[in-house]
Amino acid sequence: MEKYRANLLMCAGTGCVASGTPKVRAAIEEELIKKGLENEIKIVLTGCNGFCAEGPVMLVYPEEIFYQKLTVAEVPKLVEEHFLKGRPYEKLMFKDIEKRHAIPLMNDIPFFKHQVLRVLRNKGLIDPDSIDEYIARDGYMAAAKALTEMSPEDIIKAIKDAGVRGRGGAGFPTGLKWEFASKSVADQKYMLCNGDEGDPGAFMDRSVMEADPHSVIEGMIIGAKAIGSSKGVIYVRAEYPLAVQRLQNAIDDCRERGLLGNDILGSGFSFDLEIYLGAGAFVCGEETALMRSIEGQRGMPRPRPPFPAHKGLWDKPSVLNNVETLAQIAPTILNGPEWYRQLGTEKSAGSKVFALTGDIRNVGLVEVPMGTPLKTIIYDIGGGMKNKKKKFKSVQMGGPSGGCIPEELIDIPVTYEDVVKTGAIMGSGGMVVMDEDTCMVSTAKFFLEFTADESCGKCTPCRVGTRVMLDMLTDITEGRGREGDIETLQDLSNDIIATSLCGLGQTAPNPILSTIRYFKDEYEAHIHQKWCKTGICSDLCSFEISEDVCTGCGACARACPQGAIVGEKKKPHSIIQDLCIQCRSCYDRCAFQSIKIGPAKEKDKTAVAVKDQEE
Amino acid sequence: MLQEIDRVIQQYKGKPGSSIPVLQRCQEIVGYLPPEIQKIVARGLKTSAAEIHSVVSFYSFFTMKPRGDHNIRICLGTACYVKRVEEVLSKIKDNLKIDVGEVTEDKKFSIETVRCLGACGLAPVMVIDEETYGAMTPKKVPEVLAEYS
Amino acid sequence: MAKLTIDDLKKIKEKQKATFTLREGGSRAKITVHMGTCGIAAGARTIMTALIDEITKAGVEDVITTTSGCAGLCAREPMITVELLNKAPVKYGDLTEEKIREIFSEHVLKGNPVEKYALVVGSETTY
Amino acid sequence: MLKLIINDKNITAEEGETILQAALKNNIYIPNLCYDKRLRPYGGCRLCVVEVEGQARLFAACSSPAQDGMNIKTDTPKLRKYRQTVLELLLIHHPLDCPVCDKAGECDLQDLAYEYGKPDSRFIRHRKASPPDVRGPLIELTANRCILCGKCVRICRDHQGRGALGLIGRGFPTVVQPAFGEILECDYCGQCVDICPTGAILSKTFKFKARSWFLEEKETTCPFCGCGCTLTLGLREGNILRSRGKEGIGVSDGNLCGRGRFGIDYINSEHRLKNPLIRENETFREVTWEEALSHISSNLKETINTNGAASVGAIGSQRCTNEDNYVLQKFMRNTIGSGSIDSSAALGYAKVQKAWNMAFGRNSHPIDLQSPYGKEILFIVESDISVTHPIFGLNILEASRGGAQLIVADSRETKLTRHSSTWLPIEDGTGVALMNGMMKVLIDKDLIKKDSAAGLKGFAELQAMLEEYTPAKVSQITGISEEDITAAAVALGTAKSRMIALSVSATENTKGMDIALAAANLTILLGEDPSTLQIPAEYSNTYGLYHSGVRPLKPEDKGIMEILYGDQTAFSALYIMGEDPVTTFPDSSKILKRLKSLDFLVVQDIFMTETAKLANVVLPASSWGEKDGTFTNAEGKVQKVFKVVDPAGDSKPDWMIIKNLALTMEKELGVRSLEDIQAEMKESQPTVTDEETTLTFNPAKYVRGEEPSQEFPFQLVIRDVLQHSGVTSTSSKSLDLVISEALLEINEEDAKKQGVKDNSHVKVTSQHGSIFLKAKVSEEVPQGTVFVPSHFPYAKINTLTHLASNGESPISVVKIEATLGK
């Protein structure tokens, strides 16, 4: 084997690839050859590093220097400085905004510093297409242990003792799920993996499948042994081509090495699995719907009971685990339940991966111990608001099934129990941070649009109910809200939650209920005063310039597409209301926060029409 | 093309639950799934055309309309929503003068919206063919589209 | 390819150890080659190549090699710094291929600094 | 047995029953819109939610299993509110067009809205954009009324095995439609009409005919096939307006096929005979009953006087009641003095009967419609049971869905082959060879019940005969690979329980009695008792006809071969009741010749049939719906039919006409009423339930029919058509809308070779004649074989066929020529 003195671990996750990894990689390769370093320095493409917003990112070993926002133009300089002369190249390092200095080491960057990597243990550290590199990191040792030294009961006990809970949403104890299926008697059982990550704003499963596909496969082998299954299916969204490719490659390698197939590792246990591509239906994240989809039917959920542990795929006992859950299995088996419980709380043990997105500075994937305060995640890891001038308003957790947690609850520790109390849910771990410019009614409407669109249509409350609620929210955001709408929405929400067939319908009203709970004033303002104070609902606002703040810089006037802003240079400007179309451009543009948003005003609509015609 | 489809059907024939993979392959081959193709699949898999059509119509991945040479997929996930992907979308619609689900007159572009692409870190995101464009703004729309014309 | 056994897993892991020592840390020895313009001009590249060659030959997995800029003593280039775990770093100067091979086997492998080539004991960090 | 409490009432339930099933069984109604006992629980409408003590969540009664000790409340204020909301949501887009909806008055949604609904809705103007309605014959779907319970889609796909309707789209915009919104093409069974809980799917024939509350409903037995389903007829002002199935009633338990649901309007046909007719030269003259009967009386008397009573023959009917047939044969034997009476069953069912008797030593062989259930393997030989006996077919499909392995040997693709686990696409008419081959495999592999089989009469002969049926040879004959033959045999041999089924039609094309014997041999070889072999009697009263004495009973009695095909003109007069030999019997030219040669022909029927046109006297009989009586279904179950409407014109029940004729002939039958007849029948017919079984092997060799030749390259196979049964159904206006003429089904490749286009006319020629038919190019039929139905009188299919002297009707070979133009 060739020896390299340095490894460049370039992130080849979807995010970084989209930001230019392939081009940068080619440039580095070329430059290394130019400098004669190609035999000393090895480039490894890894899965998602997690710090997606800073991509393309690269980690240089052995020094552990973290480079971000790489560009082709900077490559010659980088290679010359760092790899030839050994002077880490400060220009491409992460900068701490407050202190204005570069942070060379990855683990000194706050985004990484507060994380503990279990699920993401191999992220950015191994080549996901190399089974050897996975094995080097203790890969398949847990499977070896489970297959040769442990009985199904031992495995189930270990997982139960560890307190592993499903990371897909509801947090059902994984060991218990396995136990049910293990006890079912059948000629065939199925071990299934849910890679149909659907919550908008969550991408940890994609990341794991891309960065560490073997960890999922190993988890499935162990689970298969626990329940007595010889066949597995990984159901992956077709929208994740890279994940599919990496998984397929990993499966092929496993088959070739005998880690899948008959008599794995000489243990006498046989298990094989295949990938099944989802075809784009959010509801297929629901386990019974996913099974219907694998059966080639419309992905419509089935009533439970019978539970999948008794009658699942093809009416055979089946276990469906989420990607993140499965990725935790191997280290837990290898290190034991106690190790697992070192992190987290009594009821929510271990760590959890979150996808931080929205109006936050450090967008990306983070893994923290359960029980970490929300505040730590948002401010210490996430770096606070992207726009420092804007205040934090709310964080949405749990996607369309979840809710919005307001600022006053930001100190809660993130555990299944504590999050549920707020009206949100842990969900798969999407955290969408919203600043004060976010209209909460519109946010609720966004989620309802999603659920109404993704409702399979099988049960009445979800099919019609989500549509009715969406219509009501649309009315409210467009100025047709009526007295009593809030109460009707709450009432209907409760009925839908109680009567819907599956989790989609049972949770679809959550975004409405939680926004009403914490931001009722916004609903009231929308309905009664016809006022959206964020200016997002263009029918419910008007913009005005406060003369005492305006510096007359003219930026707003230049931004206005209607030419509705007038004023002399260096003197306060004003907005011609009849022309204003409430596009919010001036508000976004003003550096002095001199634009104020007020309730909708009566205006002569012909003015805009006339103006449009002139153009 | 029909031979290729026949090969796909033969490959999956008799394998339970194969309608979705077969349809996916057919869509790759033909580009979309017109009724004639669905009928061939139904016959080949010993099921009814209504059953196949109901499956096709359920999943957003399947389309019964031909796409443009370049298919633009706009992510409508939460992160993209929060980052106002709507504005990017409407700019694209304005630019191409078509609505979501339509094809431009010259058959060059079609627009689709998709649920989360899982590239939230780059929000707002759009994908043209296989290429992902992150941190989109309405301003960037014309230059990105120009790459394809 | 033949089916893996548990022993094979362990072998693969061993084989990959060097790579992961590099990535995960845990190295016993770190050799820094000073690669400023001066160093390169004086032949630091040859030194680096020889060093990697020696490491490969010896089959050691816990030694990592890195580079740094000019150490400030341009006249004594090519130079390296050898740091063994929990020991003070030692700087060597005026190196040649033969010297570096000797230093490697004596100091890095056996733990005995080669005093005849040593310039300084104790040094600044690499950056 | 589980004990639970529902609404403070202690009830019991079976293990595996759902809460809803347990409740309904105990007369506790829980609202539901998407439940049907024939379908898997769906859990869609959410109206059946109930509260279970100690459980926070609600339980959907339709899908939650009843558990011991459950304390359930089905009607609490909380539940009422939830149901109110669900209904409110459903009614947002369901048009309130009850005044013009045929479902009103018996609409589940309407009833529930009345029970739970509030007059006002909190939601306004959220109506679904009107999706297009579904078009097609007989069945109409008004999309806006649909509440997406999915029952129609599921009954069509999961129960009927058809899948003509699909849920198209997702979520709120979902609609129920045939694929791509095309015209509905299906079995037209109409099960979707019955199952729809709203007015979304309606029968077109019933549309705007009557408000449901004006309908009077009466149960009777279906006049078509041997299943003997119970029809619930909707009547108003003396007219049958519709027919539907009702759960829990009769052998069909709510299921009906298209014939029973739509086909009974044949009784309203304008071609019904209304008055007795006497031929005068080339035309008929309407006469009174007195004149007709005395005309017949004197003619028959004269024939008897001149040629002897034995020169008078009669043909009974598989569609007439037991009473009609009994009286006819009694009339023949007592009044005329001739035992020469037979029926079309002689060409089919009687052969099965004979085989049955030879193999099992029994005189009667009732089938059991439930027999497919609980069997590990179902083996169907050359029989399209879903077409001949749709309800029996449904049970086979359901059993196979329940896990039974279904092996179907058939030359063409059928619903059963589509749903089979193994389809053996054999050459038509080679079922005997296949079964012989399978028996050989079973013997060679020692999979037979040796101890019981070897000692039976005929075993040695069977074994000797089977010697030549090696898999290789059988493969050559049947076109099925040796492996498949062996695999099928082994599957059958190793199964723990089995059913072997064929329809009578399988006996009609060459195979005759032999296929029944072969199947019986197979059954006995496997050590099974006769109930394993299921060969259902064909028509509504085939079984009863056979047992009421309409067949030769004494050696001197002549049967159908002599009556219609015999070469000597032994018969001078014939009395035909409810049969149309010219159309439905093979070799129609021969029959025409025979009938024309008679001195005197009486035809008693409900229509002016092709046969009636040749008669000297035509008597108008009352149809099935216009008289009381009984049918005996294929299970041997005697079921009543009722007079539900007034007889057409001056028509009379068959038995009454004959009774009157006997009276006119001054030889009273001794029966004056139905009760008399029934009492007498009971006495004369011994009960057949506890017959002894004597097993015998009857080796049956495979005999090749006519070989296709260069001149006649195609095999012609007569097959039944789902929407028709015999010829009566062709007079149904409703069914006429679906299939109105005989279509020649021909394989795509063959059609190409012959230059035949779909829907174009072809000339079909056999050695016996030629006819013109419309061609239907089909992927379902194999190359080298064409299929035709015999139902349609105008098609004159039997011009092409012939009858061998042994009573078998060999496969005909034909040539197909495309005709010019259309």
Side-chain angles (χ1 to χ4, degrees), chain A residues 40 61 85 125 138 262, chain C residues 1 3 13 23 45 68:
Chain A
E40 285 174 28
Y61 283 106
K85 297 184 179 165
L125 200 59
D138 287 333
N262 288 328
Chain C
M1 200 176 286
K3 280 175 101 176
K13 194 179 165 187
R23 294 188 206 164
R45 291 230 49 81
S68 80

Side-chain angles (χ1 to χ4, degrees), chain A residues 575-603:
Chain A
I575 300 174
I576 303 167
Q577 291 299 332
D578 282 349
L579 284 179
C580 176
I581 54 165
Q582 293 88 247
C583 71
R584 227 164 159 272
S585 305
C586 54
Y587 178 84
D588 286 340
R589 193 60 197 265
C590 180
F592 308 97
Q593 289 182 288
S594 72
I595 314 257
K596 299 288 170 245
I597 302 172
K601 281 187 178 151
E602 281 292 321
K603 60 173 75 174

Side-chain angles (χ1 to χ4, degrees), chain D residues 416-428:
Chain D
L416 288 178
T417 68
R418 271 196 294 274
H419 290 269
S420 65
S421 13
T422 312
W423 172 25
L424 305 171
I426 64 173
E427 286 282 323
D428 208 88

Side-chain angles (χ1 to χ4, degrees), chain B:
Chain B
M1 196 160 77
L2 287 180
Q3 274 173 343
E4 238 176 299
I5 287 172
D6 209 45
R7 220 173 303 133
V8 172
I9 291 171
Q10 289 308 325
Q11 186 193 332
Y12 283 93
K13 207 170 188 170
K15 203 181 158 206
S18 47
S19 57
I20 293 173
V22 168
L23 289 166
Q24 280 167 340
R25 296 279 299 277
C26 288
Q27 184 161 306
E28 273 170 36
I29 295 165
V30 188
Y32 67 115
L33 294 168
E36 304 76 62
I37 300 291
Q38 294 185 41
K39 283 177 188 173
I40 292 170
V41 172
R43 261 207 75 76
L45 299 180
K46 280 211 227 169
T47 179
S48 72
E51 183 68 13
I52 291 295
H53 184 203
S54 81
V55 168
V56 167
S57 68
F58 186 84
Y59 294 100
S60 46
F61 182 83
F62 296 125
T63 173
M64 286 179 63
K65 284 187 202 159
R67 290 183 166 129
D69 299 342
H70 303 291
N71 190 38
I72 305 173
R73 294 187 291 158
I74 313 282
C75 177
L76 292 186
T78 320
C80 293
Y81 167 77
V82 168
K83 300 215 168 166
R84 307 220 200 114
V85 73
E86 293 283 347
E87 293 168 15
V88 176
L89 177 58
S90 64
K91 182 81 183 178
I92 291 173
K93 289 199 280 194
D94 284 356
N95 240 290
L96 298 177
K97 300 192 175 58
I98 52 170
D99 211 337
V100 174
E102 293 179 348
V103 184
T104 51
E105 221 164 85
D106 59 3
K107 307 258 185 290
K108 210 151 203 174
F109 291 100
S110 47
I111 313 178
E112 274 173 32
T113 56
V114 291
R115 60 200 177 92
C116 191
L117 287 163
C120 312
L122 304 175
V125 178
M126 72 176 197
V127 175
I128 302 185
D129 303 334
E130 298 296 311
E131 193 77 21
T132 309
Y133 294 86
M136 280 302 294
T137 57
K139 231 178 167 172
K140 275 168 136 179
V141 166
E143 61 184 89
V144 171
L145 290 181
E147 288 177 34
Y148 291 86
S149 32

Side-chain angles (χ1 to χ4, degrees), chain D residues 479-546:
Chain D
I480 308 297
S481 74
E482 292 179 39
E483 298 79 64
D484 288 351
I485 294 167
T486 310
V490 171
L492 202 62
T494 50
K496 286 190 197 73
S497 55
R498 359 170 143 77
M499 179 193 85
I500 300 168
L502 17 148
S503 70
V504 172
S505 335
T507 65
E508 285 184 355
N509 284 303
T510 73
K511 298 134 286 188
M513 194 166 78
D514 288 344
I515 196 162
L517 287 175
N521 290 338
L522 181 58
T523 305
I524 300 169
L525 209 54
L526 290 165
E528 293 278 11
D529 65 272
S531 68
T532 296
L533 183 57
Q534 299 278 325
I535 312 179
E538 235 174 333
Y539 297 113
S540 55
N541 201 31
T542 303
Y543 192 102
L545 158 93
Y546 188 83

Side-chain angles (χ1 to χ4, degrees), chain C residues 6-58:
Chain C
I6 295 174
D7 278 342
D8 294 334
L9 284 181
K10 288 179 183 153
K11 277 181 206 149
I12 293 172
K13 194 179 165 187
E14 275 309 304
K15 234 167 114 187
Q16 291 280 332
K17 209 172 162 190
T19 309
F20 283 89
T21 308
L22 191 67
R23 294 188 206 164
E24 291 169 48
S27 58
R28 186 180 55 80
K30 178 166 144 190
I31 307 168
T32 308
V33 182
H34 299 269
M35 287 257 222
T37 317
C38 42
I40 295 168
R45 291 230 49 81
T46 332
I47 302 300
M48 175 63 91
T49 313
L51 203 49
I52 294 175
D53 185 44
E54 280 299 313
I55 296 173
T56 313
K57 270 199 274 178

